[in-house]
Amino acid sequence: MADVCAPITLIGLGRSGTTLIEKAFESSAEVYAGGETGGIIFGTYAGAMDSYFQSVYTDDADRNEFSARVVRRCFESLFPIGSYWHWFHKPAGIPKMIAWERYRTSRDKFEFPTEWYWSVLNTVFVRGRYLTVLRNPWDIVRSRMIFSGWDEKGGWEDIKIMYDIVYRNIENINIIFFDDLVAQPYEEISKLFNKLGLQVPYDLREVVSTKYVPTETGRDTLPLVLEGPDYDIETASLITNLWDRFGKVFNSPNGALFFD
């Protein structure tokens, strides 16, 4: 049966194809799909750390393992993980319910505590498997603005943080590109399932033929003119180098390469 310490974990930002991936796992008889779990993981872990009884007989390792056990017990209590062979969840987005400054270290590049983020996931899910979907950042920002009414600046901030998160554990993350997912959804998801050692769901073709939460259902479908990010060279390179690593590129709205 499924190991609570070994979920298939989808990280990334909304408006990048994560719902399609989630629906594919939901269609598998082998997998329990737990939905969006970021609040449960990071909020519960932070609360458990604060509630841990400190004494001369305990240390930070004890405190972190206690917090991890609390989170795992929550999952075991809330979800029927033990009734399936595998389980999937989606702690998507940037955890914003915690006080970032409390957990930042000197090794963090931006204001978000990326080091703590991975420490939490790796302590709670010691055998976790990770995947993410990368979409043209310009398209993510525009889609978020149309669909959710979020501001452009906040979108660019989330993107730089998410790329920092992905880079910190790049060797252990299965990367899927949104354009490939759109062009060949059945083939891309089948390849992912095979890589994870899962059977391809019998109704996957039907699942991928459905359009989930399309941007057109948002409050406004008029074109938006984006100002673009105010990234420095190092931050822009963090993003473009990841695409280069896989031989991929993206274009700005004016057709130029990357952020030009």
Side-chain angles (χ1 to χ4, degrees):
M1 293 293 100
D3 179 358
V4 68
C5 293
I8 299 165
T9 303
L10 175 59
I11 64 172
L13 295 175
R15 315 308 304 157
S16 62
T18 59
T19 300
L20 176 58
I21 299 294
E22 181 181 9
K23 294 298 182 182
F25 281 102
E26 283 183 0
S27 70
S28 171
E30 298 179 272
V31 181
Y32 174 75
E36 304 219 13
T37 57
I40 297 175
I41 297 168
F42 298 103
T44 302
Y45 193 98
M49 288 183 73
D50 286 344
S51 67
Y52 183 68
F53 178 71
Q54 293 283 86
S55 80
V56 295
Y57 303 106
T58 62
D59 57 24
D60 284 343
D62 296 321
R63 187 184 189 193
N64 288 327
E65 181 50 39
F66 166 78
S67 302
R69 287 199 306 270
V70 171
V71 176
R72 288 194 294 266
R73 184 62 61 86
C74 283
F75 276 94
E76 290 171 328
S77 299
L78 292 171
F79 305 126
I81 294 170
S83 300
Y84 294 78
W85 289 107
H86 307 275
W87 72 284
F88 163 92
H89 66 137
K90 189 173 78 170
I94 311 297
K96 296 182 179 179
M97 78 294 293
I98 59 171
W100 292 358
E101 65 276 5
R102 291 188 59 187
Y103 305 104
R104 290 190 74 255
T105 72
S106 59
R107 295 183 294 276
D108 288 313
K109 184 185 298 289
F110 303 121
E111 62 274 23
F112 180 75
T114 302
E115 194 83 10
W116 184 80
Y117 175 96
W118 279 116
S119 175
V120 171
L121 288 179
N122 290 331
T123 304
V124 176
F125 308 118
V126 294
R127 291 178 290 279
R129 292 176 289 176
Y130 297 94
L131 56 139
T132 194
V133 183
L134 297 184
R135 183 184 184 184
N136 183 329
W138 293 92
D139 292 340
I140 290 180
V141 171
R142 181 180 182 278
S143 183
R144 283 171 40 139
M145 293 171 69
I146 293 174
F147 188 81
S148 305
W150 295 354
D151 68 280
E152 179 181 353
K153 182 178 179 181
W156 291 117
E157 286 295 307
D158 282 359
I159 283 172
K160 78 175 185 182
I161 291 170
M162 184 52 65
Y163 273 81
D164 185 42
I165 287 172
V166 171
Y167 243 121
R168 295 292 183 96
N169 200 21
I170 187 63
E171 301 299 334
N172 299 309
I173 300 176
N174 291 291
I175 304 290
I176 303 165
F177 284 88
F178 178 85
D179 288 346
D180 295 338
L181 191 61
V182 170
Q184 295 184 308
Y186 180 84
E187 290 77 7
E188 287 297 309
I189 295 177
S190 294
K191 184 166 59 177
L192 173 65
F193 271 66
N194 289 330
K195 191 171 185 179
L196 294 171
L198 303 175
Q199 293 183 351
V200 176
Y202 75 92
D203 59 346
L204 182 59
R205 291 191 185 278
E206 180 181 346
V207 171
V208 300
S209 68
T210 302
K211 192 172 185 180
Y212 299 99
V213 289
T215 297
E216 288 78 5
T217 63
R219 62 184 65 184
D220 187 2
T221 58
L222 293 175
L224 291 175
V225 177
L226 301 181
E227 296 180 4
D230 58 354
Y231 295 156
D232 56 26
I233 294 177
E234 182 181 5
T235 301
S237 296
L238 175 75
I239 297 169
T240 59
N241 288 347
L242 185 53
W243 285 68
D244 282 339
R245 181 186 182 114
F246 294 93
K248 300 284 188 177
V249 299
F250 63 82
N251 295 105
S252 65
N254 62 15
L257 189 62
F258 295 130
F259 296 114
D260 294 336

